[in-house]
Amino acid sequence: MEKRQEPGRRSVLGAAALGAGAAVFAAAGPAAAATTADPAGRPSRPTPAGRPAKLPVPFVIGHRGASGYRPEHTFGSYQLALDMGADVIEAGDLVPTKDGHLVCRHEPDISATTDVADHREFAGRRTTKTIEGKKITGWFTEDFTLAELKTLRAKERIPDVRQHNTLYNGHWEIPTFEEVLQWAEREGRRRGRPVWIYPETKHPTYFRTLGLGIEEPLAKLLRRYGRHTAHAPNLLQSFEPSSLRRLSELGVKCPKVVLLDEPSVRPADFVASGDPRTTADLLKPEGLKWIAGFAQGIGPWLPQIIAQDDKGKLGKPTTLVRDAHAAGLFLTPYTVRNENSFLPLDFRVGRNPGDYGNSLAYFKALYATGIDGLFSDDPDTAVLAAEEFRRH
């Protein structure tokens, strides 16, 4: 779901030096102060009605798998995230093929995440499209059949930052969502517990105008594999509220999460319907109350949890966690990564943007606000910080 976090902004979201981490962690504490106690006397947090009771708090979501270590949205990435201890795997930013299959790619444009440019037979498919007001030139899933996409291989999306991931370029296919469901079923049987997944409907309004609605095939697959019920081990997310409402109309009852963009952005379905509200309106108590009428959680952008100053340093927590919990919503903000270029300025270590900063301190600062879960490209680091946070 990082579609709005483009390279220019990543450099502003840098990571803090070791000495600053403790101060930030302390500053974040008051936002989590409204707690109750369990029978053993340990503090516990408010429990929004829609938060899955079987997941720990905070729970760790492997963002596109373990995409800090393997090319994103591949079975190599998903499997590694699960093996690293992620509680939930974001297995599927769902986009359709020309023949109506759902596949897992960050965006319909597959130029940066596959070797399509090396396939001379597809050279004529390169084109320019306008998606949500932005012109994009590349190759798009909706112009390929599933059989054609299966001839491609995945590659690292940001090789300038994650050169080590390029080792795996060409190793894995593009997975279909049905293959993800089959994988989760196999791994669940092997481990003796359900494997939680967190798919997202990508650009559903855009695809509906092409006659390739995402919600109907998604609901069909979830029913086929018994994952459409209220207690099924999956969460569903979208930047477009109407997509989640459509899934409910189709009988999908599992928890739903509205992803929140930058404050000035209007969701694409709002633009299409003439709804004047922006993300800033949805972040207000009345907007959160509206979301709670059809969804169980929100997926905010990290600075909406802890604001940053104009230099990109971490400031004080906002009231969003408190406000969302008061509305009965759980929160799973996105996305923490280990590299300097993705961390707040005061958590960076050294000058190399690809080096690791003090992400452990950043994780702890975010957990201390009372969030319910967190997306990370580096599930092992997120799990380590979560386990330490729970102990204290």
Side-chain angles (χ1 to χ4, degrees):
M1 77 278 307
E2 174 224 315
K3 66 176 180 176
R4 307 294 198 269
Q5 284 186 251
E6 293 157 357
R9 187 164 69 197
R10 290 193 196 110
S11 62
V12 179
L13 297 180
L18 287 166
V24 173
F25 184 46
T35 60
T36 57
D38 69 11
R42 295 185 299 265
S44 62
R45 301 185 209 173
T47 304
R51 187 173 72 205
K54 294 185 178 180
L55 291 174
V57 182
F59 57 92
V60 171
I61 306 150
H63 185 235
R64 307 175 202 162
S67 52
Y69 309 102
R70 301 289 187 272
E72 63 188 37
H73 286 315
T74 61
F75 279 114
S77 185
Y78 298 157
Q79 187 67 50
L80 184 58
L82 191 60
D83 293 344
M84 284 180 163
D87 304 297
V88 183
I89 313 299
E90 191 196 25
D93 284 331
L94 303 180
V95 292
T97 66
K98 184 178 182 179
D99 48 349
H101 295 275
L102 295 180
V103 295
C104 304
R105 289 290 87 191
H106 172 46
E107 290 287 342
D109 177 13
I110 55 174
S111 307
T113 61
T114 73
D115 62 357
V116 64
D118 299 330
H119 287 249
R120 295 179 64 182
E121 68 272 26
F122 297 136
R125 306 277 180 97
R126 190 171 187 266
T127 187
T128 299
K129 301 192 179 191
T130 300
I131 301 177
E132 297 182 11
K134 296 181 180 179
K135 283 191 174 183
I136 304 169
T137 298
W139 288 265
F140 298 82
T141 60
E142 65 267 27
D143 296 331
F144 292 78
T145 65
L146 177 59
E148 289 172 331
L149 284 180
K150 282 294 187 179
T151 68
L152 307 180
R153 292 297 180 268
K155 68 177 186 179
E156 173 55 38
R157 182 175 60 89
I158 47 173
D160 53 328
V161 177
R162 292 174 174 166
Q163 192 277 334
H164 56 283
N165 282 8
T166 64
L167 172 67
Y168 305 100
N169 286 354
H171 191 72
W172 289 289
E173 297 180 348
I174 296 174
T176 69
F177 186 57
E178 183 161 22
E179 289 169 343
V180 164
L181 293 171
Q182 293 167 348
W183 165 79
E185 209 169 67
R186 288 194 306 271
E187 284 296 318
R189 287 195 299 268
R190 186 169 75 88
R191 295 165 186 267
R193 58 176 176 79
V195 171
W196 284 77
I197 59 174
Y198 205 158
E200 176 188 347
T201 60
K202 298 292 291 192
H203 307 293
T205 294
Y206 164 75
F207 282 118
R208 188 163 294 281
T209 64
L210 302 180
L212 292 169
I214 295 175
E215 294 83 6
E216 290 77 12
L218 173 55
K220 183 178 180 180
L221 284 170
L222 291 173
R223 283 195 300 271
R224 181 180 301 169
Y225 288 87
R227 282 182 170 257
H228 64 295
T229 65
H231 301 292
N234 40 256
L235 309 168
L236 301 175
Q237 57 182 332
S238 184
F239 280 99
E240 300 186 29
S242 62
S243 182
L244 301 176
R245 302 184 87 158
R246 175 62 178 152
L247 286 166
S248 293
E249 292 168 359
L250 293 168
V252 177
K253 298 179 180 179
C254 47
K256 300 172 184 69
V257 176
V258 175
L259 296 169
L260 298 170
D261 213 315
E262 296 183 55
S264 62
V265 172
R266 290 170 65 200
D269 54 341
F270 284 17
V271 174
S273 67
D275 189 325
R277 289 177 297 172
T278 65
T279 301
D281 295 308
L282 299 183
L283 288 166
K284 296 175 183 177
E286 55 268 31
L288 296 170
K289 183 179 179 181
W290 177 79
I291 290 173
F294 61 89
Q296 289 69 46
I298 57 172
W301 185 42
L302 291 171
Q304 292 162 354
I305 300 295
I306 305 181
Q308 296 181 25
D309 63 24
D310 57 2
K311 294 181 180 179
K313 292 186 177 182
L314 207 61
K316 295 181 179 180
T318 70
T319 64
L320 183 57
V321 173
R322 182 191 67 197
D323 294 343
H325 282 171
L329 297 165
F330 64 87
L331 302 91
T332 56
Y334 62 94
T335 302
V336 181
R337 301 170 169 92
N338 284 348
E339 293 94 350
N340 278 328
S341 60
F342 300 109
L343 290 164
L345 185 63
D346 46 333
F347 286 85
R348 293 179 181 173
V349 176
R351 295 182 178 274
N352 188 335
D355 285 352
Y356 281 7
N358 187 18
S359 56
L360 276 170
Y362 188 37
F363 278 114
K364 292 176 187 178
L366 290 162
Y367 291 148
T369 65
I371 59 173
D372 302 278
L374 184 65
F375 286 87
S376 179
D377 286 12
D378 308 280
D380 53 343
T381 313
V383 167
L384 180 65
E387 289 175 344
E388 183 178 331
F389 180 76
R390 292 180 202 129
R391 285 197 299 270
H392 295 89

